[in-house]
Amino acid sequence: IVLTQSPATLSLSPGERATLSCRASQSVSNFLAWYQQKPGQAPRLLIHDASNRATGIPARFSGSGSGTDFTLTISSLAPEDSAVYYCQQRSNWPVTLTFGGGTKVVI
Amino acid sequence: QLQLQESGPGLVKPSETLSLTCAVSGDSISKTGYYWGWIRQPPGKGLEWIGSRYYSGSTYYNPSLKSRVTISLDTSKNQFSVRLNLRSVTAADTAVYYCARTAGVVFFDYWGQGTLVTVSS
């Protein structure tokens, strides 16, 4: 299963709303997670199971979707949200975990 | 607080075996429902899952790497670690290697800081 993220780059101002897309080549049910990666750091889990915020993640981050189309929304951008965002899915037969190519958010 | 720390050689020669260790502290590696594994990221590129292993022995590998990879867990003396062996490396294996806990082989909830491994003669 291939995950396609769009856009590749998103340039917005503080306080604006960011909408990131992740499309799967086949249905992944709700086995979809989102990560944030800042330069020189490991990725950080934001959202799991398509819409569940991970522990300690601010409420401005939300996930939605199921099947093949998923969205990560940042409701009001903060300067520290500048990062690359990756989606990731789990597929069966064989069990495989794959990542999308990433969306860079520039604030 | 769970912490993961990768260690190993920063330089490996082509055709040799890349070996890394991830020290796990703050929780048990035998915790029900959690796998332990590795992800890598070539410089300037995206993320690639390598594989994940459960304490009982159940293991899943990326099909594209399966023939060259072994992941093992060590729970001796109450010190927990996750080991990665990647055989017959080439320059294409140059990457930052991350150790991560996998919740039910679905998503990665804890990550190490990563370690850069360069394959070069």
Side-chain angles (χ1 to χ4, degrees):
Chain A
I1 295 178
V2 176
L3 294 179
T4 302
Q5 292 188 241
S6 62
T9 304
L10 195 54
S11 297
L12 294 168
S13 300
E16 289 193 302
R17 182 185 191 90
T19 303
L20 286 66
S21 173
C22 177
R23 178 164 291 178
S25 57
Q26 301 175 45
S27 176
V28 299
S29 184
N30 69 331
F31 291 143
L32 197 287
W34 290 93
Y35 302 85
Q36 176 193 66
Q37 186 178 34
K38 297 181 179 180
Q41 295 184 18
R44 175 175 71 147
L45 177 68
L46 297 175
I47 302 287
H48 63 88
D49 299 315
S51 61
N52 295 309
R53 258 192 313 277
T55 303
I57 300 303
R60 65 179 182 274
F61 292 92
S62 64
S64 63
S66 66
T68 61
D69 290 299
F70 300 87
T71 300
L72 174 70
T73 302
I74 311 172
S75 60
S76 179
L77 282 164
E80 62 265 29
D81 297 334
S82 284
V84 178
Y85 292 81
Y86 293 96
C87 58
Q88 171 254 315
Q89 66 84 29
R90 170 235 167 92
S91 55
N92 299 324
W93 301 294
V95 170
T96 307
L97 306 176
T98 57
F99 293 86
T103 290
K104 184 175 183 178
V105 174
V106 179
I107 301 171
Chain B
Q1 175 73 355
L2 179 64
Q3 292 187 325
L4 296 83
Q5 179 67 59
E6 305 89 346
S7 62
L11 182 64
V12 180
K13 290 182 167 54
S15 80
E16 295 189 344
T17 296
L18 181 160
S19 295
L20 296 174
T21 299
C22 171
V24 178
S25 59
D27 204 351
S28 171
I29 209 167
S30 305
K31 190 169 185 175
T32 301
Y34 292 95
Y35 282 63
W36 304 84
W38 295 87
I39 299 104
R40 69 181 183 178
Q41 184 172 36
K45 296 188 178 180
L47 299 159
E48 180 181 35
W49 170 67
I50 298 171
S52 300
R53 187 179 181 101
Y54 199 51
Y55 76 93
S56 66
S58 172
T59 307
Y60 297 100
Y61 293 125
N62 186 324
S64 69
L65 298 170
K66 186 175 183 177
S67 64
R68 300 194 290 130
V69 174
T70 303
I71 293 174
S72 58
L73 305 183
D74 186 354
T75 60
S76 60
K77 300 180 182 179
N78 274 339
Q79 293 183 347
F80 307 128
S81 64
V82 187
R83 299 181 66 89
L84 170 69
N85 281 342
L86 180 64
R87 297 175 290 278
S88 303
V89 298
T90 70
D93 295 308
T94 293
V96 174
Y97 285 76
Y98 295 101
C99 172
R101 189 176 80 167
T102 318
V105 204
V106 178
F107 58 88
F108 307 97
D109 59 350
Y110 282 91
W111 297 65
Q113 66 183 27
T115 187
L116 174 63
V117 179
T118 301
V119 179
S120 175
S121 55

